[in-house]
């Protein structure tokens, strides 16, 4: 069974943490070694997958930038503006699979993971239809938002080629959460790495040799995402590691869609507001999978310990990255363009990026904890208040009233994130993990294999 070794290590972690006969320091040392080993096996390949997917988009942007300044502006607007809207929505809705599959896998209810996967794909596919319409009308929408006609036209050409990518997202995110819940992450890393190499070669050929420019760049990006989706699905179907969790297509996937949509919508509000707010990729998969697996398995101490180990590890890594950004602030922009004005602007804003990265070492992990526990609705309220009631108004005041421009706007966004991080940190510190295990068990005890397993527990009493 996939993840069997991880499950054994998880049980050993709980035994170490509950062994009061051993000195506290020894328990902490042994538990830390077990948890870091689990995180390394789960998080390292997952980070590779996310980074490669990010690099795939950035490589497209870099190639567009060397076509010209207009092309760079168009690709940037399409890639991190319009496209991020769909990315945030799909990623957010897909996190419902992360909660349900993680807890079901921890409780050994393997057969329902495939049902949750199919159910999520159906909902995300339907969500993709209005998004595709929005993409089709991107030019007038961008003009309405104040973009210049020249940039709006160029960006719309790029966005047209991203329409197939919407529906690749609709399948990819549920598949990723399905695999991550089982600690199956290496295959996705291999698939993404191979696709990245193919993507760069195809992009270069279509953009520079065939002459398709912006449209060719975005079409290759869409094709690359569909290659990732197709190969991952083939792996799920043929691999023996998924034989217990994928038993084929089932009409059961169409049952309980309203309740599933309720959780997916709360997840979308929670995560997509962050994606729209920052226009950046955040990593919370490891924290979410570890917490949901431990709660489903009935291990409160292990869930608590996992939270703080991954938080400390992530904060350390992000601090190192922030230092690297500051050291290279005068050189980063030349990957995208040779324009010295752009380089100066990037160098000037790099300190704010460094602060954002440090906060990003904590906030995404706490969001992952929320996903693992099923607190999406609560965190959605926190996000709305922190980002849109505090962060955005603060950014407007700093940017326009105090004439700080982009620095002021970004400073407001950092303030919103700092508030959100503080609230989530306070809630996580005060969490009764034994109670969270009991809540997870209640959901599992209300299991109804024919209708809506696990969903019955997601009610208004949840955080």
């Amino acid at each position: 069974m996939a993840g069997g070794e991880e499950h054994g290590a998880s049980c050993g972690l709980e035994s170490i943490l509950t062994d009061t006969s051993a000195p506290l320091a020894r328990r902490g040392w042994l538990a830390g070694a077990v948890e870091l080993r689990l995180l390394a096996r789960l998080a390292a390949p997952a980070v590779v997958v996310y980074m490669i997917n990010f690099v795939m988009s950035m490589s497209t942007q870099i190639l567009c930038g060397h076509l010209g300044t207009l092309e760079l502006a168009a690709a940037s607007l399409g890639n991190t503006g319009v496209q991020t809207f769909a990315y945030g929505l799909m990623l957010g809705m897909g996190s419902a699979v992360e909660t349900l599959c993680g807890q079901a896998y921890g409780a050994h209810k393997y057969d329902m993971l495939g049902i949750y996967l199919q159910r999520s794909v159906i909902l995300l596919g339907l969500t993709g239809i209005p998004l595709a319409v929005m993409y089709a009308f991107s030019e007038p929408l961008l003009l309405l938002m104040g973009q210049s006609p020249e940039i709006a036209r160029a960006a719309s050409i790029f966005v047209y080629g991203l329409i197939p990518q919407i529906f690749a997202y609709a399948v990819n995110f549920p598949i990723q959460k399905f695999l991550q819940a089982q600690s199956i992450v290496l295959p996705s890393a291999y698939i993404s790495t191979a696709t990245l190499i193919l993507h760069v070669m195809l992009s270069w050929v279509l953009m520079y040799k065939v002459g398709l420019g912006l449209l060719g760049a975005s079409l290759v990006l869409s094709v690359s995402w569909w290659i990732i989706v197709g190969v991952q699905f083939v792996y799920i179907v043929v691999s023996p590691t998924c034989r217990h969790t994928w038993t084929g297509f089932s009409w059961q996937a169409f049952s309980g869609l309203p309740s599933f949509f309720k959780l997916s919508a709360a997840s979308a509000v929670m995560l997509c507001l962050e994606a729209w707010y920052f226009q950046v990729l955040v990593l919370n998969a490891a924290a979410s999978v570890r917490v949901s697996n431990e709660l489903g398995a009935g291990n409160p101490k292990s869930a608590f310990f996992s939270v703080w180990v991954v938080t400390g590890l992530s904060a350390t890594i992000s601090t190192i990255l922030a230092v690297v950004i500051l050291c290279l602030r005068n050189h980063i922009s030349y990957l995208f363009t040779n324009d010295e004005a752009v380089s100066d602007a990037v160098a000037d804003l790099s300190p704010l990026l460094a602060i954002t990265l440090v906060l990003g070492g904590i906030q995404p992990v706490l969001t992952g904890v929320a996903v693992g526990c099923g607190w999406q609705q609560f965190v959605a309220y926190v996000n709305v208040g922190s980002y849109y009631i505090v962060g955005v108004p603060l950014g407007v005041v700093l940017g326009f009233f105090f004439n700080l421009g982009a620095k002021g706007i970004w400073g407001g966004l950092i303030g919103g994130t700092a508030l959100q991080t503080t609230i989530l940190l306070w809630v996580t510190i005060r969490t009764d993990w034994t109670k969270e295990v009991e809540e997870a068990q209640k959901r599992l005890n209300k299991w109804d294999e024919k209708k809506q397993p696990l969903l019955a527990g997601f009610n208004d009493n949840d955080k």
Side-chain angles (χ1 to χ4, degrees):
M1 184 68 206
E5 187 176 350
E6 285 81 359
H7 176 71
S10 174
C11 293
L13 175 61
E14 188 71 10
S15 299
I16 293 171
L17 293 170
T18 55
D19 182 13
T20 56
S21 63
L24 181 61
R26 178 174 173 77
R27 277 185 285 160
W29 177 263
L30 292 175
V34 172
E35 180 64 25
L36 287 174
R37 186 168 69 251
L38 288 169
L39 285 175
R41 291 176 179 172
L42 175 63
V47 167
V48 170
V49 170
Y50 278 95
M51 288 302 298
I52 288 177
N53 291 343
F54 177 74
V55 170
M56 196 159 64
S57 294
M58 284 301 99
S59 66
T60 297
Q61 207 161 311
I62 290 171
L63 290 170
C64 290
H66 288 285
L67 288 174
T69 304
L70 175 64
E71 285 80 2
L72 175 60
S76 299
L77 183 59
N79 221 7
T80 60
V82 178
Q83 180 263 358
T84 299
F85 184 90
Y87 183 94
L89 185 61
M90 293 295 190
L91 175 63
M93 294 189 70
S95 78
V97 181
E98 201 166 357
T99 301
L100 297 174
C101 284
Q103 293 187 0
Y105 188 79
H108 307 291
K109 304 293 186 179
Y110 302 125
D111 57 322
M112 285 308 298
L113 271 72
I115 301 300
Y116 291 138
L117 167 62
Q118 296 171 60
R119 195 172 291 171
S120 184
V121 169
I122 292 169
L123 287 177
L124 267 64
L126 293 174
T127 303
I129 296 175
L131 288 175
V133 174
M134 183 192 76
Y135 274 39
F137 290 93
S138 58
E139 184 175 1
L141 289 174
L142 290 172
L143 289 172
L144 187 64
M145 295 169 63
Q147 292 295 330
S148 69
E150 188 179 20
I151 293 179
R153 176 58 183 164
S156 67
I157 293 174
F158 184 86
V159 170
Y160 295 155
L162 295 180
I163 291 177
Q165 186 189 51
I166 298 172
F167 298 98
Y169 284 165
V171 185
N172 179 72
F173 291 134
I175 284 179
Q176 280 192 345
K177 305 307 181 186
F178 169 85
L179 292 172
Q180 287 170 1
Q182 305 170 66
S183 299
I184 302 174
V185 284
L186 275 176
S188 294
Y190 296 143
I191 293 167
S192 295
T193 302
T195 305
L196 174 61
I197 297 171
L198 179 63
H199 170 79
V200 173
M201 292 190 298
L202 286 177
S203 297
W204 182 78
V205 169
L206 286 185
M207 292 174 65
Y208 292 96
K209 296 301 180 181
V210 179
L212 290 182
L214 286 171
L215 182 61
S218 56
L219 283 173
V220 172
L221 194 57
S222 292
V223 169
S224 298
W225 273 93
W226 272 110
I227 291 174
I228 292 174
V229 168
V231 179
Q232 284 185 135
F233 181 70
V234 170
Y235 173 83
I236 289 173
V237 172
V238 304
S239 173
T241 57
C242 297
R243 65 184 182 275
H244 297 296
T245 53
W246 176 262
T247 56
F249 294 102
S250 172
W251 289 108
Q252 199 175 339
F254 292 92
S255 67
L257 286 177
S259 297
F260 198 92
F261 176 76
K262 181 181 178 181
L263 180 60
S264 297
S267 302
V269 173
M270 181 189 74
L271 287 181
C272 72
L273 288 181
E274 295 174 8
W276 300 343
Y277 182 79
F278 275 113
Q279 310 279 304
V280 297
L281 177 66
V282 296
L283 305 178
N284 61 28
S288 176
V289 172
R290 291 289 299 120
V291 171
S292 61
N293 282 175
E294 297 295 356
L295 291 179
N299 298 329
K301 291 185 179 296
S302 295
F304 168 82
F305 193 76
S306 298
V307 168
W308 299 115
V309 170
V310 73
T311 299
L313 184 63
S314 182
T316 301
I317 293 173
S318 64
T319 301
I320 294 173
L321 290 175
V323 173
V324 172
I325 289 292
L326 289 175
C327 293
L328 299 178
R329 62 185 181 275
N330 293 313
H331 308 284
I332 295 174
S333 66
Y334 288 109
L335 288 172
F336 299 87
T337 179
N338 294 322
D339 192 315
E340 291 187 9
V342 174
S343 177
D344 292 340
V346 170
D348 190 42
L349 292 172
S350 291
L352 293 176
L353 176 59
I355 296 172
T356 302
L357 284 173
V358 173
L359 284 174
I362 303 173
Q363 180 270 336
V365 173
L366 299 178
T367 299
V369 172
V371 172
C373 294
W375 300 344
Q376 283 94 330
Q377 188 173 5
F378 165 74
V379 180
Y381 293 137
V382 174
N383 288 357
V384 170
S386 300
Y387 293 159
Y388 295 95
I389 297 179
V390 175
V392 171
L394 179 61
V396 171
V397 171
L398 292 175
F400 298 101
F401 185 77
F402 288 97
N403 297 318
L404 294 178
K407 286 185 177 180
I409 295 173
W410 199 340
L413 303 184
I414 290 175
T417 305
L419 175 61
Q420 185 222 24
T421 302
T422 302
I423 294 173
L424 292 181
L425 186 61
W426 175 249
V427 171
T428 304
I429 290 173
R430 295 180 65 250
T431 295
D432 183 339
W433 293 102
T434 300
K435 181 179 178 182
E436 291 300 324
V437 166
E438 293 173 354
E439 290 297 319
Q441 294 302 318
K442 287 179 182 178
R443 297 179 187 121
L444 296 171
N445 290 336
K446 292 180 180 179
W447 200 281
D448 181 354
E449 293 186 357
K450 299 299 182 182
K451 295 182 180 179
Q452 302 173 35
L454 288 186
L455 287 171
F458 289 94
N459 53 38
D460 294 335
N461 293 326
D462 285 330
K463 293 185 180 181

